[in-house]
Amino acid sequence: DDPQGVTGRAGTHTGAALGVPRLDLPPLYLTDGPVGVRQGQATALPSSMALAASFNRRLARRDGALVGNEAKLKGNDVVYAPTINLLRTPLWGRAFESLGEDPLLTAQLGVAWIRGLQAQGVIANVKHFAVNNQEDRRFSVDARVDERKLVELYLPQFEAAVRQGKAGSVMCSYNRLNGPHACESSWLLDRVLRRRWGFRGFVLADYGASKRIGTGLRAGLDFEPFPFVDFDGGESYTPAAVEAALAA
């Protein structure tokens, strides 16, 4: 992995996994993002909020296709997008790349965007799963939301992304959700995402969102892409650490 990739410098990738030749596992290259590829010079697209204001699924698909095409031509396999969390406060740092406050609109435009992107031969990474709706204390805040509100407001767009959009990957978020961190919540990653919705892709952590290797692995966190020590005392996946966690 190359930590310089997060700067968006030309010739790098936001994330990179070098692969395992003996297992015939190829390298994996990942890039941001919802409003344009974060990798040197690239097309700067309008805010996702502007896209949502169009109420136009065909336009959303063209938007996703443009990002997917540029990402592919720059040698990427995965795009960290779309952002389909609901907008709950204008102070949220990701407000500009959200699709607004309405679950139905966010779901339908998100599905169209994913289809456009993945038609270019790259994988969509829907984010941030789940209830990542504020910037203050985002690494540690515990979002306390009952299951009815989760099902009616905060999760429908992710379900649509998986079931209708066939998104290939999901990014678990920084925050806690009713106690556990999202990236080590077996209720979220296993019971809901995989069992209830039938997700067959892979789950990766937002940069610094992986906290404890053992509970993350058991909950369903497949890939920890951040190349150095995580924020807020978290742990990175390394071969030795993963083997120790699985043996515990």
Side-chain angles (χ1 to χ4, degrees), residues 3-225:
Q4 294 300 315
V6 297
T7 66
R9 193 177 65 189
T12 66
H13 302 269
T14 311
L18 300 182
V20 185
R22 68 180 177 82
L23 298 177
D24 198 26
L25 187 66
L28 182 72
Y29 297 108
L30 311 95
T31 187
D32 278 329
V35 294
V37 178
R38 185 184 183 183
Q39 193 177 354
Q41 291 187 338
T43 302
L45 293 168
S47 163
S48 301
M49 189 68 71
L51 176 64
S54 74
F55 288 79
N56 189 323
R57 282 178 285 200
R58 183 177 297 177
L59 184 60
R61 183 163 185 143
R62 287 179 60 194
D63 194 282
L66 192 153
V67 174
N69 178 257
E70 287 200 8
K72 184 70 173 179
L73 292 175
K74 287 177 177 287
N76 296 286
D77 305 292
V78 179
V79 179
Y80 293 147
T83 296
I84 54 174
N85 299 106
L86 294 185
L87 178 63
R88 305 298 280 169
T89 167
L91 301 179
W92 182 40
R94 299 303 184 106
F96 74 97
E97 64 181 35
S98 79
L99 291 165
E101 73 278 10
D102 184 80
L104 178 61
L105 179 63
T106 297
Q108 292 306 304
L109 292 190
V111 166
W113 200 95
I114 291 164
R115 288 173 174 168
L117 180 122
Q118 293 195 154
Q120 307 306 308
V122 291
I123 299 169
N125 178 238
V126 295
K127 60 185 189 181
H128 310 78
F129 193 55
V131 199
N132 180 196
N133 301 95
Q134 68 183 69
E135 206 69 14
D136 182 43
R137 295 175 54 240
R138 63 177 177 168
F139 298 116
S140 58
V141 65
D142 188 359
R144 296 295 179 116
V145 187
D146 65 62
E147 189 164 354
R148 177 175 177 175
K149 291 185 181 69
L150 285 169
V151 170
E152 291 181 352
L153 293 174
Y154 293 97
L155 299 183
Q157 59 273 36
F158 287 97
E159 182 178 7
V162 169
R163 287 185 161 176
Q164 298 176 36
K166 308 299 182 185
S169 65
V170 170
M171 177 186 288
C172 53
S173 55
Y174 290 125
N175 56 285
R176 296 176 182 271
L177 178 59
N178 295 325
H181 278 94
C183 290
E184 52 187 15
S185 170
S186 57
W187 181 85
L188 188 65
L189 303 184
D190 183 48
R191 182 176 167 185
V192 173
L193 181 62
R194 290 195 169 88
R195 297 188 189 185
R196 190 178 296 177
W197 298 346
F199 180 63
R200 294 292 180 266
F202 66 95
V203 175
L204 62 86
D206 201 347
Y207 281 26
S210 171
K211 299 304 176 186
R212 285 168 290 273
I213 294 169
T215 49
L217 278 171
R218 293 184 180 89
L221 175 58
D222 301 302
F223 179 36
E224 203 288 303

